[in-house]
């Protein structure tokens, strides 16, 4: 049975891996966004791949540009369809778009979540996160099934 999995690519090989899997008939998803005027991977060094474990595992694992399939000793960790669908839902014209809600919060500001299942939750804005932190949150989610990230765009100053 096929599921979504996270694959770790070799540095700067996301596009090559994406192309190879598409050419091989796989469903692959490498989210992108515009950063400083350039299209960049949303999770640098990572992509989502839909494949059958264990049937296609060896082929996936040894595809050029793939470093590993993220998981535990028992094997790769499947990702719920809703996670991939939720990321795709944020796209416009193939790029992740961040919606803005009024004035952007600064470190120390009281904030309120204005969208999603945590709407209405209030807290203190701690820091903005960059590429590396997004990747760490993705990996923590895959490993522990419980890390939470709220995009700054879903927050407003309270």
């Amino acid at each position: 049975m096929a599921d979504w999995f996270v694959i770790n690519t070799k540095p700067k090989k996301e596009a090559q891996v994406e192309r190879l899997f598409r050419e091989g008939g796989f469903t692959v998803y490498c989210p992108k966004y515009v950063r400083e005027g350039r299209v960049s991977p949303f999770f640098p060094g990572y992509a989502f791949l839909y494949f059958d474990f264990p049937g296609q595992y060896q082929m996936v694992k040894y595809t050029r540009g793939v470093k590993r399939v993220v998981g535990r000793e028992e094997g790769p960790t499947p990702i719920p369809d809703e996670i991939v669908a939720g990321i795709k839902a944020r796209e416009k014209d193939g790029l992740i778009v961040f919606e803005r809600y009024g004035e952007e919060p600064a470190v120390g500001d009281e904030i309120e979540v204005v969208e999603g299942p945590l709407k209405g939750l209030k807290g203190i804005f701690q820091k903005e996160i960059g590429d590396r932190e997004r990747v760490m949150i993705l990996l923590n989610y895959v490993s522990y099934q419980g890390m939470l990230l709220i995009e700054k765009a879903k927050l407003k100053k309270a």
Side-chain angles (χ1 to χ4, degrees), residues 16 28-29 66 101 127 152-153:
Q16 173 191 6
V28 61
Y29 177 53
V66 172
Y101 294 94
K127 70 173 189 168
K152 186 176 179 185

Side-chain angles (χ1 to χ4, degrees), residues 69-120:
V69 181
V70 178
R72 300 172 187 226
E73 287 182 21
E74 305 84 45
T77 304
I79 302 297
D81 293 346
E82 299 81 42
I83 298 297
V84 176
I87 296 170
K88 285 183 177 183
R90 304 227 169 270
E91 288 185 356
K92 182 175 182 182
D93 298 325
L95 297 171
I96 292 178
V97 176
F98 299 99
E99 296 178 32
R100 300 287 178 209
Y101 294 94
E103 184 182 347
E104 289 197 18
V107 173
D109 285 345
E110 185 175 350
I111 51 94
E112 179 179 350
V113 180
V114 295
E115 185 181 322
L118 299 176
K119 184 176 182 178

Side-chain angles (χ1 to χ4, degrees), residues 142-153:
V142 170
S143 297
Y144 306 112
Q145 299 289 313
M147 183 56 95
L148 172 66
L149 166 66
I150 300 174
E151 295 169 11
K152 186 176 179 185

Side-chain angles (χ1 to χ4, degrees), residues 11-64:
K12 311 265 188 220
K13 296 295 182 185
E14 302 93 349
Q16 173 191 6
V17 168
E18 184 177 20
R19 181 182 51 78
L20 288 171
F21 280 122
R22 283 195 201 289
E23 289 172 358
F26 285 85
T27 301
V28 61
Y29 177 53
C30 186
K32 297 171 183 66
Y33 74 117
V34 175
R35 178 177 148 207
E36 298 172 1
R38 291 184 7 203
V39 175
S40 300
F42 192 70
F43 298 113
Y46 294 86
F48 297 93
L49 185 66
Y50 193 76
F51 70 92
D52 174 48
F53 178 79
Q56 296 175 309
Y57 181 64
Q58 294 298 318
M59 183 185 326
V60 168
K61 184 177 170 181
Y62 293 109
T63 296
R64 190 173 349 121

